[in-house]
Amino acid sequence: QVQLVESGGGLVQPGGSLSLSCVVSESIFSIRAGSWYRQAPGKERELVATITSGGSTNYADSVKGRFTISRDNAKNTVYLQMNNLKPEDTAVYYCKVVLNSPPPSIFSSWGQGTQVTVSS
């Protein structure tokens, strides 16, 4: 049973940094593509960043220049480096991955997530 295990959330002051990890466990297939989402209280879930099979990245306008998505196929992990954090980045962060299975399969961490709180 494939599982996504997130870590790295926490409480940080404005201007600080956090690094989130999303490990794909119990899978013999590597990561084809990955995404990070977030949902703040009372708001819709929003797409924050994506990394494609070719390594191209895309970001929400609100995080461009501050967040960096990456992946390490050797560790079956997707990362989100978050710098210069702002209070409006406070949310539960979730990851979603597409695996290189035939056909490609999608898994998400909607039921888990990791809390990021930016506050002084």
Side-chain angles (χ1 to χ4, degrees):
Q1 181 80 15
V2 173
Q3 290 187 332
L4 304 187
V5 181
E6 295 190 36
S7 62
L11 172 64
V12 64
Q13 292 186 341
S17 298
L18 284 174
S19 181
L20 305 184
S21 299
C22 175
V23 179
V24 181
S25 64
E26 308 299 328
S27 174
I28 63 172
F29 301 108
S30 61
I31 296 172
R32 180 182 180 89
S35 302
W36 285 94
Y37 292 75
R38 67 185 180 187
Q39 186 166 21
K43 294 189 176 181
E44 299 273 326
R45 185 183 297 150
E46 66 169 333
L47 177 62
V48 175
T50 62
I51 184 165
T52 69
S53 57
S56 298
T57 57
N58 289 283
Y59 300 92
D61 288 343
S62 58
V63 306
K64 277 181 183 176
R66 300 188 298 121
F67 290 12
T68 302
I69 187 172
S70 62
R71 68 167 181 242
D72 184 337
N73 280 351
K75 297 182 179 179
N76 245 14
T77 302
V78 179
Y79 302 96
L80 185 67
Q81 177 64 41
M82 304 184 295
N83 298 327
N84 190 22
L85 283 161
K86 303 176 180 180
E88 51 264 42
D89 295 318
T90 295
V92 178
Y93 283 71
Y94 303 91
C95 61
K96 185 169 80 172
V97 299
V98 180
L99 299 182
N100 279 310
S101 52
S105 51
I106 300 173
F107 294 88
S108 63
S109 66
W110 304 146
Q112 181 195 343
T114 186
Q115 177 70 47
V116 171
T117 302
V118 185
S119 174
S120 56

